Amino acid sequence: MRAVKAVLPVAGLGTRFLPATKAVPKEMLPVVDKPAIQYVVEEAARAGLEDILMITGRGKGAIENHFDRAPFLEDALERKGDGARLDAVRAATNLADVHFLRQGDPRGLGHAVLRARQHVGQEPFAVMLGDDLIDAQEHLLERMLDEQAARDATIVALMEVDPEHIHLYGIADAEPTADADVVRIHGLVEKPAREYAPSNLAVIGRYVLKPEIFDVLEKTAPGRGNEIQLTDALQVLASDEAVAGPVYGVVFRGLRYDTGDRLDYLKAVVRLACGREDLGPDFRRWLGEFTASLQ
Ligand code: UTP
């Protein structure tokens, strides 16, 4: 069975982006003119996941408002005859069926995923991190959903990272398969020092999980940072196939931005603005002049 539901944990505090995220959720920071989280919901919808559960927390109300209808705003735009902006406002509402559940205690990503248990039931499901932005031309999630269904396995997205960034990610102990984009994972280590890392393959914010993960998460003790880590639960699966079948990684070689990181966020805004039909030509011209002036 192919997954049809996505869980988006958005309860994190976004400390890397303070003070912007003091009163505004980091998922609502605009990337050009759409909040980062809308790109993620669009990606889910494109892959056929139209049932979305966001795990939220205090101070994340703006996300709920963004995916709800806005009658006063829509009426005002309608009266002005501003059809283009009206469509843009309504687009977020029509993408998918978005549900919200509060995490309660923010006890880590693993705990946030565990909160989805009732909604997900006994089906495979995707987990998508709200601050990981995959370029709209890529088909990573579709590929992961296909691999999950074909192999009846747990699937994580991996990306090769430079040695100096290894300590920022979960890193996979992996062996190649007959498919150049797919590796078999035997172990995962959360944010290891470079010298102890089993590879340079880092886990990025897309997973397709089996419902057995919930039982494992129930038993997962708080780990790094005193948080219940999804990586620790995945490590249990990867080290013992009897628990829930094998774990595979799909190695992604396309464009991805961590919009929770300030430098990556700036790169995302610039690159996406350059690619836009409306803003792109003027922005590229200005950017060319500006970079020339830096020489
Ligand atoms: P991060 O480690 O990126 O944490 O969480 P964060 O708080 O969002 O950001 P920084 O590092 O402080 O800037 C990874 C993902 O897990 C979610 C976050 O929203 C993010 O998508 N998360 C984390 C939860 O939903 N609940 C938690 O208790 C922790």
Side-chain angles (χ1 to χ4, degrees):
M1 179 194 180
R2 201 173 190 269
V4 293
K5 293 177 183 169
V7 174
L8 276 53
V10 294
L13 295 177
T15 51
R16 283 171 297 162
F17 234 117
L18 283 168
T21 46
K22 184 179 174 191
V24 176
K26 70 171 172 182
E27 296 81 7
M28 288 301 294
L29 295 178
V31 179
V32 188
D33 53 7
K34 277 189 290 190
I37 190 73
Q38 186 171 334
Y39 291 89
V40 180
V41 174
E42 287 171 354
E43 181 191 342
R46 270 198 309 278
L49 306 177
E50 287 173 3
D51 180 321
I52 291 176
L53 176 67
M54 295 205 193
I55 309 296
T56 70
R58 200 166 283 277
K60 299 280 182 171
I63 302 178
E64 292 189 38
N65 290 339
H66 185 72
F67 290 99
D68 193 6
R69 296 297 295 267
F72 292 120
L73 180 60
E74 290 177 32
D75 285 352
L77 291 168
E78 207 147 22
R79 277 199 304 278
K80 282 207 296 190
D82 193 342
R85 289 199 177 88
L86 186 58
D87 288 348
V89 164
R90 285 185 176 155
T93 329
N94 299 331
L95 282 171
D97 208 358
V98 186
H99 310 267
F100 297 90
L101 179 69
R102 286 217 181 182
Q103 187 177 354
D105 286 336
R107 289 167 55 204
L109 176 58
H111 178 254
V113 172
L114 183 54
R115 295 284 286 134
R117 181 171 207 162
Q118 187 110 22
H119 185 89
V120 166
Q122 290 302 314
E123 304 166 18
F125 64 105
V127 170
M128 305 170 72
L129 300 195
D131 47 8
D132 245 331
L133 211 148
I134 305 289
D135 196 273
Q137 282 148 26
E138 312 287 354
H139 298 284
L140 171 64
L141 187 59
E142 287 93 327
R143 178 74 196 274
M144 293 175 72
L145 292 165
D146 290 346
E147 293 294 340
Q148 196 286 322
R151 296 175 190 266
D152 189 22
T154 297
I155 310 286
V156 304
L158 300 173
M159 231 177 152
E160 287 182 20
V161 293
D162 295 332
E164 62 268 28
H165 293 140
I166 277 177
H167 69 284
L168 301 172
Y169 291 92
I171 301 290
D173 178 0
E175 81 178 319
T177 68
D179 188 325
D181 295 331
V182 180
V183 293
R184 174 76 191 267
I185 298 179
H186 296 291
L188 287 158
V189 199
E190 183 66 13
K191 300 182 175 146
R194 186 202 291 208
E195 53 276 28
Y196 299 116
S199 73
N200 67 340
L201 289 171
V203 178
I204 58 170
R206 299 290 179 273
Y207 311 80
V208 186
L209 304 175
K210 296 176 68 172
E212 287 87 343
I213 191 82
F214 294 124
D215 277 341
V216 179
L217 283 168
E218 289 272 14
K219 294 187 211 119
T220 302
R224 209 172 191 287
N226 203 26
E227 293 192 332
I228 298 175
Q229 298 286 353
L230 181 59
T231 307
D232 291 346
L234 290 169
Q235 160 63 21
V236 172
L237 303 187
S239 62
D240 183 1
E241 197 178 329
V243 179
V247 180
Y248 288 91
V250 171
V251 182
F252 180 60
R253 298 187 175 87
L255 290 173
R256 171 246 176 196
Y257 311 95
D258 174 5
T259 56
D261 172 76
R262 291 169 303 170
L263 186 59
D264 246 26
Y265 170 82
L266 292 171
K267 291 178 189 172
V269 172
V270 170
R271 206 186 262 271
L272 295 188
C274 284
R276 285 274 294 254
E277 269 177 31
D278 51 353
L279 296 164
D282 283 347
F283 185 63
R284 283 198 302 271
R285 198 172 313 115
W286 173 82
L287 191 62
E289 288 163 13
F290 180 62
T291 43
S293 76
L294 298 176
Q295 306 305 317

